[in-house]
Amino acid sequence: MSEPTHESEVPRAFRLLVQKLVDDTLTPEESRQLAEEMQESEPAREYYLRYIQIHSELTQRWGGVNLPQLPSCDLGSQGIASACERPNPLKRIFSASRSTVAGNPAKSQRRRAYWGIAWAAALCLAIGVFWMVANRPGEDVPGATMIASNEPPAETTVAPSTPPSDEVYVEQAAAASLAKVAAVIVNVRNVRQPGLTVGRRLRPGMLSIDQGTVQLEFMSGAVLALSGPAQLQIESKDFAMLVSGAIRANVPERARGFVLNAPDTAVVDLGTEFTMRVDNGETSEVDVVEGEVELSLLADDGTTLVSQRLKQGSHVRVDRDTNSLLPFDSQVASNTPTADASDSVNASTIVPPMLLADDRGLNVSRRYVDMVKRQQPIIYWRFEQADNNIVKNELHDQWAAEIVGSTAENQLISIRNGYARFRRGGTSRYLVSRDPIEGINRGSYTIECWIKPDDLQHATCFGLTPISDPGGHQYLNVFEILTDTFLIHEPGAFRFLHRSPPAENYGKGTNLISPGICVPEVWQHLVMTKGDRQLEMYCNGQLIKQVAIEDANHPTVLQLLVGQLGFDGWRQYAGGMDELAIYAQQLSAEEIQMHYQTMYSENTDLFAPVSF
């Protein structure tokens, strides 16, 4: 078998054409260029097939991106498309499943079968490009909106945090391109619909649930808990409409101004938590749990007819007969979940609680720890305990972590349940290595950790910064969660930035940005490697991004800074972190995948590992 094509061997212009194909934005002339390049270049064909393969797997696992609308083809005896027809987007369903039992032989058999189908599909897509050159219509194909499936539950048991195995698309009227992701499912309880799983990315469209509670985090930061039976029309990251059922909204400061409508009502949040109930699309009731909202009764043309500023403790019902907002005695459910709080409730009378994230750490086996130690990291912080605000390094007396800015009163960083827990606060707080790290950038190195973010707010998880920089604003590298930034990326992406020599200049450095795959409240495995002339990013055992670099071996004396950007408290990370390691060598793809597989075998609520 020949060596796989490296990304640097393929012209950047061709890579951009493939990306535009996936985004369904190719012009007819660009389609012709793409087809001609694949016809003439074997590396281009290999790159295309691998790109579509990875894109398809990410879609199937994470639900964050859609495949392009390409024709399906039957192959003639000479390998030429003999029959092609454009598929109906309403019927595009990707299905796969996994057993929750480790070592199940049926699992690998299903995976082999899946990849056989995936490669065949990728080849068919390549042939479809040639067909498009001669047959692509002048007008755009209607786009698609992704919603959670309402199909009966699958027979295979799926772990609660496994990314969705089914994708169902519904037509969006007059859409010329795919809508952006608006929200991600972060928690579910007592839901039997197979599409409603943690990690599912949701584009604008109707979300319908039959029972149980589904909790969404919108890309703006607003968190909604929807209790079935209910229907929620998702419009954007800042706007949704409750058609029927009951909902609780928690809107942090960064999402201030989030709008939740009912058929005859609009609620503009002013920094608060509130609830809403809609009975059969007619009666709306709003309760302000904390903070305040601006409540409007809407006229037939959608403009405000009557408006009130509601403060904490207000309970108002919309009276359409008199066009007025009337107070009433609320029976809002407590925000303390009970064992049966979400079992088949009547959403017209019971408002769901927010589903609280569990406080469990990773179940880290001795096998995993021994595997890491055998590879001799220079830093291995396991966060088992902290003595006098010091977290020990498992392999060396040097490079212990010091906790700075967290006190017994504010508890902005705490070590509990075997991991480090970060909270945002009004003051700077961070972990920093106590000894200088010398010479690591003269050669290859790897940074590995597990994170469990609270949300998708733009945050810096960790980075290496020169010890000579008192502000910590110059970075050799930094790892972040991206949502609303000036960079071009999908919401909820991971970013690995490398600047050698370290600098504060925003015009310098190389970014590796993942698809939008970060999921709040779920443990995720992240690895960044620097080789001789290459950077790589891995997520959950899978190589996500790689890029060639030049002149990257600058001999800077560094320190590891964790939990925020610099020492001033910028871009604070909130959530869990565990098993952070730095190696003075580049781990191989096989070693990284083995680390994830080992942890996965001990934790049933992690995302399923993927291998290509």
Side-chain angles (χ1 to χ4, degrees), residues 207-477:
L207 172 63
S208 299
I209 63 173
D210 299 331
Q211 66 174 57
T213 300
V214 174
Q215 193 155 301
L216 314 175
E217 178 169 332
F218 281 70
M219 295 305 165
S220 62
V223 179
L224 303 185
L226 180 68
S227 184
Q231 288 186 308
L232 180 71
Q233 177 69 31
I234 298 172
E235 299 290 349
S236 71
K237 66 183 180 66
D238 302 300
F239 176 38
M241 184 173 76
L242 182 63
V243 178
S244 64
I247 202 165
R248 184 182 294 265
N250 185 288
V251 185
E253 183 62 28
R254 74 184 183 96
R256 186 182 178 94
F258 181 85
V259 178
L260 181 63
N261 276 13
D264 54 4
T265 310
V267 178
V268 179
D269 175 80
L270 302 176
T272 186
E273 180 172 323
F274 65 93
T275 70
M276 179 185 288
R277 293 176 297 281
V278 175
D279 185 12
N280 298 322
E282 296 178 357
T283 303
S284 300
E285 295 176 348
V286 175
D287 298 86
V288 182
V289 179
E290 184 177 350
E292 59 183 8
V293 302
E294 186 72 26
L295 175 64
S296 292
L297 171 63
L298 302 179
D300 292 339
D301 62 358
T303 59
T304 296
L305 185 64
V306 177
S307 178
Q308 282 187 19
R309 180 70 58 92
L310 303 181
K311 297 185 179 296
Q312 180 174 330
S314 299
H315 318 296
V316 173
R317 176 179 290 118
V318 176
D319 189 330
R320 254 305 182 189
D321 294 334
T322 61
N323 286 333
S324 58
L325 304 174
L326 304 176
F328 74 102
D329 292 331
S330 173
Q331 300 294 326
V332 176
S334 166
N335 196 31
T336 303
T338 61
D340 59 352
S342 301
D343 286 334
S344 190
V345 299
N346 181 348
S348 65
T349 58
I350 299 179
V351 175
M354 286 291 173
L355 300 180
L356 305 179
D358 67 68
D359 200 29
R360 290 179 298 169
L362 287 164
N363 180 21
V364 184
S365 67
R366 175 51 53 183
R367 180 186 172 203
Y368 179 91
V369 174
D370 291 344
M371 185 182 302
V372 172
K373 288 183 175 181
R374 280 196 301 270
Q375 289 160 335
Q376 290 295 304
I378 63 171
I379 287 178
Y380 187 20
W381 296 344
R382 299 206 55 228
F383 305 112
E384 294 300 301
Q385 61 184 19
D387 297 323
N388 296 319
N389 280 336
I390 302 298
V391 177
K392 75 172 184 176
N393 183 7
E394 296 289 327
L395 272 77
H396 302 276
D397 293 334
Q398 290 179 290
W399 305 302
E402 181 178 0
I403 302 174
V404 179
S406 178
T407 66
E409 290 73 29
N410 63 33
Q411 287 287 296
L412 294 179
I413 301 177
S414 58
I415 307 300
R416 64 188 189 195
N417 297 335
Y419 69 94
R421 181 77 173 82
F422 294 80
R423 292 176 53 243
R424 292 191 184 93
T427 184
S428 176
R429 83 293 179 270
Y430 53 87
L431 291 172
V432 63
S433 54
R434 303 188 75 197
D435 303 291
I437 305 171
E438 298 187 43
I440 190 170
N441 195 44
R442 289 194 180 100
S444 302
Y445 63 87
T446 300
I447 307 177
E448 174 182 40
C449 80
W450 292 79
I451 67 169
K452 184 183 182 182
D454 286 349
D455 52 41
L456 294 177
Q457 182 166 330
H458 186 192
T460 300
C461 301
F462 54 80
L464 289 169
T465 182
I467 203 165
S468 59
D469 178 17
H473 299 155
Q474 298 179 12
Y475 270 87
L476 172 72
N477 57 45

Side-chain angles (χ1 to χ4, degrees), residues 367-368 371-372 374-376 445-446 448 450 525 527 529 536 538 540-542 583 585-599:
R367 180 186 172 203
Y368 179 91
M371 185 182 302
V372 172
R374 280 196 301 270
Q375 289 160 335
Q376 290 295 304
Y445 63 87
T446 300
E448 174 182 40
W450 292 79
H525 182 227
V527 181
T529 75
E536 295 179 339
Y538 294 78
N540 295 339
Q542 170 62 47
Y583 308 81
Q585 72 268 9
Q586 183 181 22
L587 296 186
S588 68
E590 292 75 17
E591 290 170 330
I592 293 168
Q593 190 171 71
M594 182 58 69
H595 285 199
Y596 183 80
Q597 291 271 4
T598 301
M599 191 72 80

